[in-house]
Amino acid sequence: MTHTFKEFSTNAIFNIGNENDLLPFQKAKQCEFYTFIWAKSEAINLIIDSVPLTIQPHSILALTPIQYLQYIDGSDAIVYQFNREFYCIKDHDQEVSCAGILFFGNTNIPIIHLDVVEQQKFITLHDVFIDELETEDNIQAEMLRMLMARFIIKSTRLLKAKEGISETPKSSKVDLLREFNFLVEQHFKTEHSVAFYADKLFKSPKTLSNNFAKLNRSPLQIIHQRIVLETQRQLSYTDKTAKEIAYDIGYEDASHLSRLFKKYTSLSPSDYKKRLNSLS
């Protein structure tokens, strides 16, 4: 059964459904909503940004509105979907600390595994969600947003634990990584240098690189990986030429993007497109 909340004054939308809500994605398209897909007792097979992915039972996948989702198969899923008018990740990041890790951290596709204890906690939270969706009063919207904040916080904590990120009051390096990832998401099409992001974060490029070295990440690698990911998305899901994609991502000379793309994928954009066509 699908439960939907709509707030006409703000255009906020929040939806809780099941695997039937994945059926519109049998052909790949952008999510358009922030989306959590929770595989309960069975695996869910998907393709995310042209990459095949399986959500194992008792695991939750987090997706942003701009990611491309294709549903292959699987059942017994819970699907949460909401737009920025319902819950703006950027505006609420001080509360939930998820931007750059759970959302818009482009190094990995975030999947949260739930052990037996966490399964019960999330089931309880889900039941409260359903109860609130069935209770229409003047504080329903506030209650639902509070519950979503709790869901996001719990998911982010589990993801940090999985990635070995310590949850301490002064985890400045983690906050720096989150802020950097989020800035890259906002500016990667126009700004390709570490110096730009270092300036935004009031750091020198050297200080930024030294901090990231301790987290086994390179600022330049993160910028490049985001550019390559966008190139892959556009090659996979649009009819744009390599030159048009390069221009969209801020390269006047398409050969510069081609060299970068080949460095990370071992294929030129045109060869990558040919391989996609041969598989379709």
Side-chain angles (χ1 to χ4, degrees):
M1 182 177 178
T2 298
H3 295 77
T4 299
F5 166 81
K6 291 184 179 180
E7 189 176 52
F8 294 104
S9 61
T10 63
N11 293 319
I13 299 173
F14 172 57
N15 180 77
I16 295 181
N18 54 31
E19 61 273 10
N20 291 330
D21 292 273
L22 300 176
L23 295 178
F25 295 93
Q26 289 177 319
K27 184 176 180 181
K29 64 178 183 176
Q30 283 184 304
C31 293
E32 296 183 357
F33 292 91
Y34 289 96
T35 302
F36 288 102
I37 303 172
W38 177 0
K40 295 199 71 185
S41 63
E42 297 182 23
I44 306 292
N45 293 303
L46 310 166
I47 297 176
I48 308 297
D49 291 329
S50 77
V51 178
L53 181 140
T54 298
I55 315 174
Q56 297 297 337
H58 314 300
S59 300
I60 299 172
L61 168 71
L63 297 171
T64 67
I66 63 173
Q67 289 181 279
Y68 282 83
L69 165 64
Q70 184 175 359
Y71 170 62
I72 305 302
D73 58 39
S75 58
D76 195 22
I78 295 175
V79 179
Y80 297 83
Q81 298 168 300
F82 62 93
N83 60 6
R84 72 178 304 277
E85 288 79 12
F86 174 77
Y87 197 90
C88 180
I89 297 301
K90 181 180 179 181
D91 290 350
H92 289 89
D93 188 57
Q94 190 171 355
E95 302 168 13
V96 297
S97 300
C98 70
I101 294 180
L102 186 65
F103 295 114
F104 306 117
N106 63 71
T107 305
N108 299 300
I109 297 175
I111 297 181
I112 304 102
H113 179 71
L114 307 179
D115 62 23
V116 175
V117 174
E118 293 298 336
Q119 287 172 41
Q120 191 53 55
K121 289 179 181 178
F122 273 77
I123 288 169
T124 300
L125 182 55
H126 176 74
D127 290 341
V128 179
F129 262 126
I130 299 301
D131 183 60
E132 282 301 326
L133 283 163
E134 293 175 346
T135 305
E136 295 185 16
D137 57 26
N138 59 1
I139 62 168
Q140 184 188 33
E142 183 180 353
M143 287 295 294
L144 288 170
R145 289 187 176 97
M146 287 172 59
L147 289 169
M148 180 48 65
R150 181 167 177 77
F151 188 98
I152 291 171
I153 289 168
K154 288 176 67 63
S155 298
T156 303
R157 283 175 176 168
L158 291 172
L159 191 61
K160 284 181 177 178
K162 173 187 172 184
E163 296 187 359
I165 300 173
S166 58
E167 188 71 58
T168 61
K170 294 185 178 181
S171 53
S172 58
K173 292 183 180 64
V174 175
D175 287 337
L176 189 64
L177 174 63
R178 293 194 318 103
E179 291 173 27
F180 181 82
N181 279 339
F182 197 56
L183 281 171
V184 169
E185 185 64 34
Q186 293 173 295
H187 301 287
F188 75 92
K189 286 189 175 184
T190 55
E191 302 295 342
H192 303 158
S193 71
V194 174
F196 169 83
Y197 298 98
D199 185 61
K200 286 281 188 181
L201 293 166
F202 304 104
K203 305 284 184 184
S204 70
K206 184 177 180 181
T207 298
L208 196 61
S209 295
N210 288 341
N211 274 278
F212 277 51
K214 296 169 187 176
L215 293 167
N216 298 315
R217 309 266 173 93
S218 156
L220 190 60
Q221 283 177 337
I222 290 174
I223 297 167
H224 286 170
Q225 285 169 347
R226 184 63 186 90
I227 291 168
V228 169
L229 174 61
E230 185 64 23
T231 306
Q232 289 174 312
R233 282 178 180 161
Q234 295 200 30
L235 287 169
S236 299
Y237 302 114
T238 75
D239 294 324
K240 289 181 180 179
T241 65
K243 186 174 182 179
E244 288 171 330
I245 293 170
Y247 183 77
D248 181 60
I249 303 177
Y251 289 91
E252 291 187 8
D253 187 344
S255 65
H256 292 165
L257 177 61
S258 182
R259 285 194 294 271
L260 176 65
F261 190 83
K262 191 167 186 177
K263 176 182 176 182
Y264 281 87
T265 68
S266 301
L267 294 169
S268 68
S270 58
D271 288 339
Y272 184 86
K273 186 76 170 182
K274 288 175 186 175
R275 191 181 71 172
L276 288 172
N277 292 336
S278 69
L279 295 172
S280 62

